Amino acid sequence: MDEDRSIEYRQGQIPQELQHNVVITSVDYIYNLIRKTSLWPMMFGLACCAIEMICTAAGRYDLARFGMEVMRPSPRQSDLMIVSGTVTKKMLPQIVRIYNQMAEPRYVIAMGACAISGGPFKDGYNVVSGIDKYIPVDVYVPGCPPTPEALLHGVLKLREKIAKQSITQVSWYRKGSQDAIPVPVLGPDIFDPRRVPEIRKRTLAPRPDDDGSEATEGAQTVEDQSEA
């Protein structure tokens, strides 16, 4: 018996009496299995898409099946941000600030046409045409508004993405600290602080009328009109 067992060990086989007690898998599989089955969304909504998100958490659709029935009121306890609704320029700095307060690993679902591209309000002066211009988005859920089934499908796609990640490649396990995303500044318009040098360069660049050529032409035109 001992001889047979030693042969099995040498051949890399699990003895018969241990086959139901030993599980061989990878660290990535166990790590991702735990993370994808315990996503904690953050409890906040922006517009009408938030009503559909609330319906998804109710008894009929039951997010508890996916281990994410607890919506956390604090970003420090959340790892999933569902941007559900229209993102205005006044609200955008708060969203980026909350995203920076979430601990890694963190994920973002853009729910609805407004969060993805601005939706029917895209041409409005106060609407951001896509939250992905300021924070990274993992899954897009189209619709106006998306149904709870669509959001569940987006959650399943996010779980598939998490299952494919490796701890040797994800950014939050690499050496060096990650820089926070700069909070956009709301002035006459919303702008990214990282583009301040570009904005300053364009603003202070000399204009064609600085040399007086266009001004001279304008004055000549006025004189011609007065003579006529």
Side-chain angles (χ1 to χ4, degrees):
M1 183 66 181
D2 294 337
E3 249 182 68
D4 295 339
R5 182 177 297 176
S6 62
I7 293 174
E8 289 179 351
Y9 282 139
R10 285 199 302 270
Q11 293 177 351
Q13 299 177 358
I14 300 175
Q16 184 69 29
E17 63 270 18
L18 296 179
Q19 287 185 1
H20 298 290
N21 300 322
V22 177
V23 177
I24 298 178
T25 184
S26 63
V27 175
D28 283 340
Y29 177 81
I30 295 296
Y31 177 69
N32 293 333
L33 177 66
I34 296 171
R35 290 195 302 117
K36 77 176 185 179
T37 54
S38 60
L39 288 172
W40 285 358
M42 191 163 53
M43 186 173 59
F44 89 105
L46 298 176
C48 48
C49 287
I51 303 299
E52 301 296 327
M53 180 182 67
I54 295 170
C55 292
T56 310
R60 181 170 182 175
Y61 298 97
D62 193 16
L63 274 176
R65 295 176 294 165
F66 306 101
M68 50 190 301
E69 71 275 11
V70 181
M71 289 195 175
R72 298 291 176 176
S74 169
R76 304 186 191 281
Q77 299 174 349
S78 308
D79 53 8
L80 174 60
M81 173 185 283
I82 303 177
V83 183
S84 54
T86 310
V87 181
T88 62
K89 295 177 181 177
K90 187 175 182 180
M91 183 59 69
L92 179 62
Q94 325 311 328
I95 295 176
V96 175
R97 185 175 290 110
I98 290 173
Y99 176 81
N100 286 333
Q101 292 176 357
M102 295 172 63
E104 293 281 10
R106 56 192 174 190
Y107 303 95
V108 177
I109 293 180
M111 181 183 179
C114 291
I116 294 173
S117 62
F121 310 106
K122 182 176 182 179
D123 294 330
Y125 69 93
N126 64 328
V127 176
V128 175
S129 57
I131 189 63
D132 57 356
K133 296 181 182 297
Y134 296 91
I135 60 176
V137 174
D138 298 282
V139 176
Y140 297 87
V141 181
C144 187
T147 61
E149 293 91 345
L151 179 58
L152 288 177
H153 181 70
V155 170
L156 293 176
K157 288 298 179 183
L158 179 60
R159 285 161 61 100
E160 291 178 9
K161 179 176 182 178
I162 294 174
K164 295 177 182 177
Q165 292 180 335
S166 174
I167 60 175
T168 61
Q169 298 177 357
V170 290
S171 58
W172 51 86
Y173 282 129
R174 294 178 183 172
K175 293 182 178 180
S177 59
Q178 296 183 14
D179 295 332
I181 297 176
V183 177
V185 178
L186 179 60
D189 199 353
I190 197 81
F191 68 92
D192 190 334
R194 290 172 293 189
R195 301 188 63 185
V196 167
E198 178 187 352
I199 296 173
R200 183 180 291 112
K201 181 179 179 181
R202 289 176 177 271
T203 304
L204 300 179
R207 298 181 179 181
D209 58 351
D210 288 348
D211 57 357
S213 58
E214 290 188 3
T216 304
E217 292 177 2
Q220 185 66 33
T221 304
V222 173
E223 289 178 3
D224 294 340
Q225 290 178 354
S226 61
E227 290 177 2

